[in-house]
Amino acid sequence: PQIIFSGIQPTGTLHLGNYFGAVDKWKQLIHSSNGDVILSIVDLHAITLPQDPKSLHSSILHMTASLVACGIDPEKCILFQQSKVPQHALLGWVLGTLTTMTRLYHFPQYKEKSATLKDIPLGLFTYPVLQAADILLYKSTQVPIGGDQVQHLHLAQHLVHTFNNKYGVTFPIPEYIVEVESGAARIRSLREPEKKMSKSHADPKSRIEITDTPEQILSKIKKAVTDFTSSVQYDAENRPGVSNLIDMHALAVGRTRNEIVDEAVGLDTGKYKLRVADAVIEKLSPIRSEFTRLLDSKDYLVNVLADGSAKAETIASRTWNEVKMRIGLESAQ
Ligand code: TYM
């Protein structure tokens, strides 16, 4: 059977890039897959950059509420908190012995995140190794992600080869699932459309969060950077701003890019933005009200994570025991 695994950091609020690039796909896979879908709120990854201890735990619950509000049904998948399953860190350590610093230096995310730091935390450097451990721990076969995570998946695949060659076939090669065609794999910043939409960008106007009010959504989309051509045409390379609006619009209403562009003939980008805002507002309003409702049920959220983490640990401890035997930390009976 398939085993589908993915993760999201509990830093900041879920935005449309996360939604279209990952969460939407997770929902589809929960419906269509013949095996487990395992989704992790990766708090151990989050602390590779400074987090405020006073708010980290509530951010974890916020992310849980966001995912459930987006339609991730915790009854139909395993939704859990990474740090509740200690085998992630243990397997991460083992995998760290199987790769090299040279390989890790080349990761674009590491380069980007460390560029502005004077002292670079070791955890930020080894981040992709922990991510590989997340995936291998469940013997995952498919990993649905946005385009920015592909390199990390290559490392996970490489580590599977290395481990299997050295210790005997233990893990399947995890494939990644990236929605390139629709543009969902890379939703762009509303302020700098050459960059991706990101939770950590300083300017909140660069992203649309699922908790934004209709007024906020309208104002952010009105201010979205486009270009000096007024017609609504898709050209991701030369007109990334307007093309990003077309993609978000198409994804929000579940139609094709071409249909969207055909219907926008004669509109200038200013008027077109109002139409995009309407579509996004309509898509997000039920999610936002469900999110608000869930935030009031803290006990429910805590329970969701406790249940999910217990299920995850059952699988994780089985794999970890096998790993210990494979590498000779325990005797193989
Ligand atoms: P994170 O928390 O940055 O993002 C969660 C998911 O959202 C996708 N994403 C986007 N997709 C399209 N357009 C965007 N602008 C955009 N921004 C984010 C990401 O690609 C991701 O799929 N390292 C991971 C978390 C992780 C993980 C894992 C993922 C840890 N372990 C194991 C898969 C498997 C991350 O930081 O995602």
Side-chain angles (χ1 to χ4, degrees):
Q2 298 174 310
I3 301 197
I4 293 159
F5 183 93
S6 201
I8 186 163
Q9 296 195 60
T11 46
T13 305
L14 209 141
H15 56 67
L16 282 187
N18 302 131
Y19 185 85
F20 292 132
V23 179
D24 215 13
K25 189 73 193 176
W26 300 350
K27 280 201 309 197
Q28 292 168 26
L29 290 166
I30 288 174
H31 283 289
S32 65
S33 131
N34 62 8
D36 282 333
V37 177
I38 307 173
L39 301 172
S40 187
I41 296 176
V42 291
D43 49 0
L44 295 177
H45 279 95
I47 58 168
T48 57
L49 287 175
Q51 302 296 334
D52 179 1
K54 288 198 204 71
S55 57
L56 183 56
H57 191 255
S58 63
S59 303
I60 293 165
L61 294 184
H62 269 230
M63 187 50 78
T64 312
S66 303
L67 291 173
V68 176
C70 286
I72 299 295
D73 181 349
E75 304 282 323
K76 300 210 173 92
C77 66
I78 299 179
L79 176 60
F80 78 104
Q81 183 182 344
Q82 184 187 30
S83 65
K84 286 190 188 281
V85 182
Q87 290 84 356
H88 287 257
L90 294 167
L91 184 59
W93 182 265
V94 168
L95 297 180
T97 66
L98 299 177
T99 189
T100 63
M101 293 174 61
T102 314
R103 194 177 282 272
L104 296 180
Y105 269 125
H106 295 299
F107 280 99
Q109 286 217 342
Y110 165 73
K111 283 196 190 149
E112 220 173 273
K113 287 185 180 171
S114 61
T116 55
L117 300 173
K118 202 154 99 260
D119 275 325
I120 301 165
L122 181 61
L124 189 64
F125 183 65
T126 58
Y127 179 116
V129 179
L130 180 60
Q131 179 160 350
D134 299 341
I135 295 166
L136 271 57
L137 199 50
Y138 303 92
K139 302 197 175 182
S140 312
T141 57
Q142 267 105 1
V143 185
I145 44 170
D148 60 323
Q149 296 297 314
V150 168
Q151 258 102 357
H152 290 169
L153 260 290
H154 288 156
L155 179 73
Q157 295 174 334
H158 160 76
L159 281 165
V160 168
H161 283 295
T162 311
F163 191 100
N164 287 353
N165 281 335
K166 193 161 178 188
Y167 298 119
V169 176
T170 310
F171 301 108
I173 308 285
E175 290 168 22
Y176 48 89
I177 305 178
V178 180
E179 292 290 323
V180 182
E181 274 309 295
S182 63
R186 188 178 160 85
I187 298 296
R188 296 152 182 279
S189 157
L190 300 181
R191 304 303 304 165
E192 298 165 281
E194 57 293 341
K195 296 192 180 152
K196 66 169 184 179
M197 186 178 284
S198 136
K199 290 196 214 85
S200 53
H201 196 286
D203 184 355
K205 286 200 294 297
S206 69
R207 60 183 166 266
I208 293 175
E209 302 183 341
I210 59 144
T211 53
D212 281 347
T213 62
E215 297 72 37
Q216 285 170 316
I217 296 171
L218 180 62
S219 138
K220 287 178 183 182
I221 291 183
K222 272 189 184 165
K223 293 197 184 101
V225 170
T226 47
D227 52 42
F228 298 108
T229 309
S230 72
S231 63
V232 179
Q233 274 152 345
Y234 194 87
D235 178 351
E237 200 140 303
N238 301 308
R239 302 190 62 199
V242 70
S243 302
N244 190 42
L245 293 176
I246 295 169
D247 279 338
M248 291 197 303
H249 185 181
L251 289 160
V253 298
R255 310 191 48 196
T256 67
R257 237 176 233 161
N258 286 342
E259 287 172 330
I260 296 292
V261 172
D262 285 349
E263 282 171 12
V265 169
L267 292 184
D268 61 30
T269 47
K271 291 228 175 59
Y272 176 62
K273 282 177 175 177
L274 304 180
R275 199 178 271 190
V276 178
D278 276 345
V280 172
I281 289 168
E282 196 170 313
K283 175 85 189 170
L284 291 184
S285 6
I287 295 178
R288 180 162 164 266
S289 54
E290 183 62 1
F291 172 80
T292 317
R293 192 184 70 80
L294 285 165
L295 267 197
D296 284 336
S297 359
K298 191 174 163 219
D299 291 349
Y300 167 77
L301 298 171
V302 169
N303 271 330
V304 162
L305 291 182
D307 279 2
S309 302
K311 287 186 196 140
E313 183 160 13
T314 308
I315 308 173
S317 64
R318 212 184 300 141
T319 308
W320 175 240
N321 286 336
E322 185 183 346
V323 165
K324 283 192 291 185
M325 285 193 272
R326 291 274 186 196
I327 61 186
L329 298 174
E330 298 271 4
S331 77
Q333 303 91 6

